[in-house]
């Protein structure tokens, strides 16, 4: 049972709800500390460019193993971070790490772009674009090497809030490009592609996973690739796990392939090993 704020009424919660609330509070508390001590980790998942058959980009994905709670998956972590506002701290942490890493690679002669995932909540801060540019300046990372992945949920809100769109334009003008992630799963509006400065469509992995089993999915994915191309966007397929899926997607004209078939998300040092192979 918990006391409702401001009252004496005792609200009885189911055991499961109570447990979930406790876990959330614990995650929030531990996350705050982890951010403070920079105890989060970043893994990078490579993407293969279909034309050069080379790894030309990687996606930065957050990883957190807390000493008390254990591993907290991004699917659990990110929604809680969004709710509590700690997503802004995660975002800055990821950007700084990505900038430092891409610069290290550049110095080693490795030409790679890095994408980071952004939640719309981060862009509700009117200084978001400015603070991204400051991080680039501070680390010395060229803007052209950083890409920002946004979801359709992000796009929906950005469309309604001109100051978010403005910030995206400002970043685009500086050379940062935007990827529409999980394409096809969200609010499904093609308007975003007209209004927002999107450079790449990343087709969601749920489509890839049913690709070989469903002729409808094949037609749909082919159509999404053609749509992207006709809009002069780059098209990436994610969640590619087999050679058969890759072949089919390449035959549709996908520009890049990402998924376990290429590699799982791995530490930066292992990316270097993959590249020199
Ligand atoms: P996402 O951006 O769509 O990232 C792709 C997810 O699919 C990753 O899960 C990746 O590990 C997984 N994946 C990659 N290839 C395959 C494959 O071939 N098969 C399957 N089944 N899965 C594959 P992960 O790392 O658990 O992240 C889940 C989601 O959490 C991400 O989806 C993204 O929306 C969010 N996320 C992760 N890191 C961050 C971050 O730093 N900031 C924000 N805002 N969100 C993040
Ligand atoms: Mg992503
Ligand atoms: Mg995705
Ligand atoms: Mg996703």
């Amino acid at each position: 049972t918990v006391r409702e704020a401001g009252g004496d009424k005792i609200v009885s919660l189911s055991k499961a709800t109570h447990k979930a609330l406790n876990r959330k509070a614990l995650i929030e508390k531990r996350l705050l500390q982890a951010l403070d001590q920079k105890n989060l980790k970043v893994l990078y998942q490579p993407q293969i460019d279909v034309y050069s058959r080379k790894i030309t980009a990687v996606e930065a994905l957050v990883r957190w193993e807390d000493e008390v709670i254990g591993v907290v998956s991004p699917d659990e972590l990110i929604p809680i971070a969004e709710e509590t506002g700690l997503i802004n701290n995660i975002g800055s942490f990821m950007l700084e790490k990505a900038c430092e890493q891409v610069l290290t690679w550049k110095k080693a002669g490795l030409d790679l772009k890095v994408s980071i995932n952004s939640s719309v909540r981060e862009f509700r801060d009117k200084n978001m674009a400015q603070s991204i540019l400051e991080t680039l300046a501070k680390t010395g990372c060229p803007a052209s090497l950083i890409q920002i992945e946004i979801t359709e949920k992000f796009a929906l809100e950005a469309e309604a809030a001109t100051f978010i769109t403005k910030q995206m334009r400002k970043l685009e003008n500086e050379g940062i490009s935007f990827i529409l992630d999980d394409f096809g799963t969200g609010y499904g509006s093609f308007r975003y592609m007209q209004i927002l400065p999107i450079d790449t469509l990343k087709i969601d992995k749920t489509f890839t996973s049913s690709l070989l089993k469903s002729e409808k999915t094949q037609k749909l994915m082919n159509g999404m690739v053609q749509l992207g191309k006709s809009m002069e966007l780059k098209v990436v397929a994610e969640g590619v796990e087999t050679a058969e899926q890759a072949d089919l997607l390449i035959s549709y004209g996908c520009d890049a392939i990402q998924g376990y078939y290429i590699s799982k998300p791995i530490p930066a040092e292992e990316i270097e090993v993959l590249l020199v192979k």
Side-chain angles (χ1 to χ4, degrees):
T1 59
V2 290
R3 268 172 210 282
E4 255 184 358
D8 286 333
K9 199 171 141 217
I10 304 278
V11 182
S12 177
L13 298 172
S14 76
K15 263 202 182 126
T17 310
H18 197 84
K19 221 174 135 194
L21 282 177
N22 277 340
R23 180 165 169 90
K24 216 163 95 177
L26 180 62
I27 287 178
E28 186 180 353
K29 181 170 152 241
R30 299 292 307 171
L31 178 59
L32 203 65
Q33 195 180 333
L35 280 162
D36 215 43
Q37 299 169 349
K38 298 196 187 277
N39 259 341
L40 302 176
K41 290 203 165 49
V42 188
L43 292 185
Y44 297 88
Q45 187 177 36
Q47 232 177 56
I48 291 268
D49 174 77
V50 166
Y51 309 102
S52 64
R53 302 259 161 180
K54 284 192 175 127
I55 298 168
T56 52
V58 297
E59 176 175 6
L61 294 156
V62 70
R63 291 293 180 266
W64 180 35
E65 179 166 5
D66 182 66
E67 27 178 69
V68 176
I69 316 174
V71 173
V72 182
S73 77
D75 287 330
E76 183 178 19
L77 171 66
I78 298 298
I80 294 176
E82 283 175 343
E83 214 177 293
T84 55
L86 291 173
I87 194 67
N88 296 58
N89 310 55
I90 293 181
S92 337
F93 172 83
M94 294 296 287
L95 178 67
E96 198 169 317
K97 283 281 180 192
C99 286
E100 285 165 2
Q101 189 55 60
V102 82
L103 208 61
T104 305
W105 282 328
K106 193 175 185 314
K107 284 179 184 153
L110 305 172
D111 255 326
L112 279 178
K113 287 188 178 190
V114 177
S115 67
I116 55 161
N117 293 280
S118 262
S119 299
V120 69
R121 172 144 191 181
E122 298 173 64
F123 276 79
R124 285 190 201 138
D125 173 357
K126 292 201 163 64
N127 292 319
M128 180 63 176
Q130 193 51 43
S131 86
I132 289 176
L133 295 174
E134 276 164 19
T135 303
L136 291 176
K138 192 182 83 184
T139 54
C141 172
S144 61
L145 297 182
I146 298 294
Q147 299 180 303
I148 297 179
E149 302 199 6
I150 63 164
T151 58
E152 288 175 294
K153 182 177 161 219
F154 184 120
L156 179 79
E157 190 172 325
E159 191 200 8
T162 41
F163 76 94
I164 296 181
T165 320
K166 264 194 201 142
Q167 297 205 79
M168 291 176 74
R169 289 248 151 69
K170 181 172 177 178
L171 292 172
E172 192 204 22
N173 285 335
E174 295 293 330
I176 289 181
S177 50
F178 286 90
I179 299 174
L180 192 50
D181 198 2
D182 302 347
F183 182 71
T185 54
Y187 298 79
S189 172
F190 299 124
R191 285 198 312 273
Y192 312 137
M193 290 157 68
Q194 285 181 289
I195 297 162
L196 302 177
I198 303 290
D199 171 84
T200 302
L201 293 186
K202 192 185 268 194
I203 303 175
D204 191 67
K205 58 178 180 297
T206 55
F207 296 104
T208 311
S209 73
S210 60
L211 183 67
L212 296 171
K213 291 172 278 184
S214 157
E215 213 169 299
K216 276 190 183 158
T217 306
Q218 290 166 20
K219 288 182 176 149
L220 200 54
M221 281 194 101
N222 193 358
M224 287 193 272
V225 176
Q226 303 323 314
L227 175 70
K229 304 227 114 181
S230 71
M231 298 284 297
E232 286 166 25
L233 301 173
K234 210 181 134 193
V235 183
V236 182
E238 72 173 359
V240 178
E241 295 182 355
T242 68
E244 291 75 17
Q245 291 170 340
D247 287 345
L248 207 49
L249 290 162
I250 291 169
S251 79
Y252 296 160
C254 266
D255 299 290
I257 299 286
Q258 183 179 344
Y260 297 164
Y261 174 57
I262 313 294
S263 164
K264 286 183 311 193
I266 51 181
E269 312 81 65
E270 290 178 37
I271 292 282
E272 289 155 34
V273 175
L274 274 185
L275 279 166
V276 294
K277 252 197 222 161

